[in-house]
Amino acid sequence: MLLAVALVSAQDAPAPQNPPQPTFRTGVNIVRVDVIVTDDKGNPVTDLTQDEFEIVEEGRVQTIDLFRQIRIDDTVPAVERPRQVLTRDTEEREASRDDVRIFAILLADYQVCAERSRLVREALTTFIGRLGPNDLVAVMNPLTSIRDLAFTYNHDSIVQTIQRFEGRRGDYTPRNQIETEHAQLLGGIELIRAAVVRDALKALAVRLGSMREGRKTVIFVSEGFPSGWLNDPRQLREITQEANPHDTSIYPIDPRGLIASDGEGGASIRPGCGRLPTGMRLRLSQDTLRELAEDTDGRAIVNRNSLTEGLAQILRDSSSHYLLGYSSTSTQADGKFHQIRVRVKRPKLQVRARKGYWASTAEDVSRAANPAVATPAPILGALAAVATPNQDGRQVRSWVGVGLGADGKSRVTVVWEA
């Protein structure tokens, strides 16, 4: 039997300055949809009411139970910048604020040629410079552990990480033990790398979903997945099945830019990065990025020379949108894709929302109803370190650890095992 008790320093935590924000109910049949509405000039429409929206799932009109309008002003004075996020506790509290936007940048170095690294660094540095003081940001590569991913208001540190980015497409020199093992596996290194990037996107979506309800944005820098993935829908579907339930919108950024019909690219010092794929192969690699964006209510910034303009659209999308929720009339846990369409009754408006969602399976329902109780890995590790033979007749083994708690307090964790 294991028992863990967390003790916070004696000083009581101050009362929150803002009242609790409304939250959405969770459950296997609760569907949440982010909706972006713009006029014919691309400007956000911010005065719609709940009665002006309609959601249709599989041909059936749904009753909208939950409605919130999200508007974020990114011109907050710098003096109001919140303190640096240091722990998962403070991160969760900051992420729950209505004036906070959340951005995660996945730099898929495996899928970007070295010769286009500078363009990526410049565009993303400009993007970070336009963020507001209340924007939480994290940056990672495909091999970054999600447990180590830290979201921060320290945008200078994010820029420093971006400035170290270098594409590695076509460069198969192992840089760590994991890549050494990849080189020894059958099936081709490119397919292995594509799977690593896919799994990184899935894990990132789950990580973002744990932070809060509502829209989160993934900026995914990549030159596309293998074209064959369009013929094998399971590959990209694995990503969208994680992104959609966690309200995560993916914005792929293709640094190849606007490509002429002859498909010529500049000379490359790395194998595989000289000539660009031509014709059908090029279009299909771009289509993998477009499909990810369309299925998660993002935008694919592909086949354009100005990445900056596309990144500016990401800011507009995250600054003004509506969050709708409804209890689906489909009660069957069939694990299938359910098509949805969002409409507004006001004419001449453009509406963007995800196309649908993947329903839960019977296994998902059972797991939600009977959650497994797991002892945190740090506690198990601590107990293993002190698991010496009981030679003095003690009834329990104990372990005490001290760490940083919320609001600068100390947190003392006491664990004992019978």
Side-chain angles (χ1 to χ4, degrees):
M1 177 182 68
L2 294 177
L3 183 59
V5 179
L7 306 175
V8 184
S9 58
Q11 180 181 359
D12 292 337
Q17 296 179 354
N18 299 321
Q21 298 298 325
T23 58
F24 289 103
R25 301 192 309 273
T26 58
V28 294
N29 290 322
I30 299 297
V31 181
R32 296 187 299 269
V33 186
D34 291 315
V35 185
I36 298 172
V37 185
T38 55
D39 59 21
D40 55 359
K41 296 182 180 180
N43 299 316
V45 178
T46 60
D47 60 346
L48 292 169
T49 64
Q50 178 174 334
D51 294 337
E52 293 183 271
F53 284 90
E54 182 181 73
I55 300 179
V56 179
E57 178 185 325
E58 303 289 358
R60 297 180 180 179
V61 177
Q62 305 293 313
T63 299
I64 299 176
D65 302 315
L66 309 163
F67 176 85
R68 283 176 66 188
Q69 182 184 7
I70 309 297
R71 295 186 65 183
I72 298 177
D73 182 6
D74 59 4
T75 61
V76 179
V79 294
E80 297 185 22
R81 177 189 295 272
R83 66 181 179 85
Q84 174 76 18
V85 173
L86 298 177
T87 69
R88 290 293 291 271
D89 290 337
T90 56
E91 173 191 288
E92 184 176 351
R93 185 177 65 247
E94 295 295 332
S96 67
R97 292 170 41 171
D98 276 348
D99 62 343
V100 169
R101 295 180 296 191
I102 299 177
F103 301 95
I105 302 173
L106 174 55
L107 299 170
D109 51 355
Y110 288 161
Q111 298 178 329
V112 178
C113 288
E115 63 188 27
R116 290 181 272 278
S117 303
R118 180 178 60 83
L119 177 64
V120 172
R121 294 194 295 263
E122 291 176 350
L124 288 178
T125 298
T126 300
F127 171 79
I128 297 298
R130 293 179 175 176
L131 295 180
N134 293 337
D135 289 329
L136 276 174
V137 191
V139 61
M140 63 179 289
N141 62 52
L143 291 182
T144 299
S145 170
I146 290 299
R147 292 187 176 185
D148 298 333
L149 188 64
F151 285 82
T152 178
Y153 292 119
N154 186 352
H155 299 166
D156 291 339
S157 68
I158 296 296
V159 169
Q160 292 174 10
T161 302
I162 290 172
Q163 288 299 317
R164 294 193 293 269
F165 169 73
E166 174 128 358
R168 300 178 57 196
R169 183 174 181 180
D171 177 7
Y172 305 120
T173 305
R175 297 186 181 180
N176 50 58
Q177 182 60 34
I178 294 177
E179 293 180 350
T180 300
E181 294 173 357
H182 288 170
Q184 299 171 354
L185 296 176
L186 299 177
I189 190 65
E190 284 295 338
L191 293 180
I192 294 173
R193 285 184 165 189
V196 169
V197 174
R198 176 200 62 201
D199 292 346
L201 278 171
K202 292 165 55 180
L204 180 56
V206 175
R207 172 75 164 83
L208 289 168
S210 71
M211 295 175 68
R212 73 171 185 196
E213 294 174 326
R215 190 179 189 89
K216 283 84 63 176
T217 300
V218 171
I219 299 173
F220 173 44
V221 180
S222 168
E223 294 178 14
F225 287 100
S227 56
W229 280 25
L230 290 174
N231 298 322
D232 183 3
R234 295 172 301 173
Q235 302 287 0
L236 296 178
R237 182 188 302 171
E238 286 189 25
I239 301 173
T240 57
Q241 281 180 311
E242 294 293 355
N244 282 338
H246 295 101
D247 293 316
T248 298
S249 296
I250 300 176
Y251 287 75
I253 309 291
D254 186 348
R256 290 175 293 189
L258 184 64
I259 300 171
S261 59
D262 60 1
E264 291 293 336
S268 173
I269 61 174
R270 298 286 176 87
C273 294
R275 292 176 58 87
L276 292 165
T278 58
M280 182 66 71
R281 286 185 58 209
L282 171 62
R283 185 177 65 81
L284 291 177
S285 69
Q286 293 176 333
D287 283 350
T288 62
L289 301 178
R290 292 189 179 98
E291 184 168 319
L292 270 183
E294 292 174 0
D295 289 347
T296 61
D297 190 28
R299 294 176 187 260
I301 304 174
V302 302
N303 206 30
R304 62 173 75 181
N305 282 334
S306 176
L307 299 182
T308 303
E309 180 181 345
L311 288 165
Q313 184 62 56
I314 295 177
L315 291 179
R316 290 193 291 270
D317 287 353
S318 61
S319 299
S320 180
H321 60 277
Y322 298 87
L323 185 55
L324 311 181
Y326 67 95
S327 299
S328 174
T329 56
S330 176
T331 58
Q332 185 177 9
D334 54 16
K336 296 181 179 179
F337 184 79
H338 290 248
Q339 187 178 45
I340 59 177
R341 187 169 68 166
V342 180
R343 299 184 293 214
V344 294
K345 300 175 183 178
R346 194 179 303 182
K348 298 182 180 180
L349 298 182
Q350 302 295 320
V351 180
R352 282 183 42 223
R354 57 186 170 117
K355 299 177 181 179
Y357 68 95
W358 291 92
S360 302
T361 64
E363 181 181 355
D364 295 331
V365 176
S366 175
R367 187 164 52 244
N370 303 283
V373 179
T375 304
I379 294 178
L380 290 176
L383 290 173
V386 299
T388 57
N390 185 12
Q391 297 176 347
D392 55 3
R394 290 179 298 172
Q395 300 302 311
V396 298
R397 296 190 184 96
S398 62
W399 175 84
V400 179
V402 180
L404 183 64
D407 300 319
K409 299 182 179 65
S410 297
R411 176 179 294 274
V412 181
T413 302
V414 181
V415 181
W416 65 86
E417 177 187 26

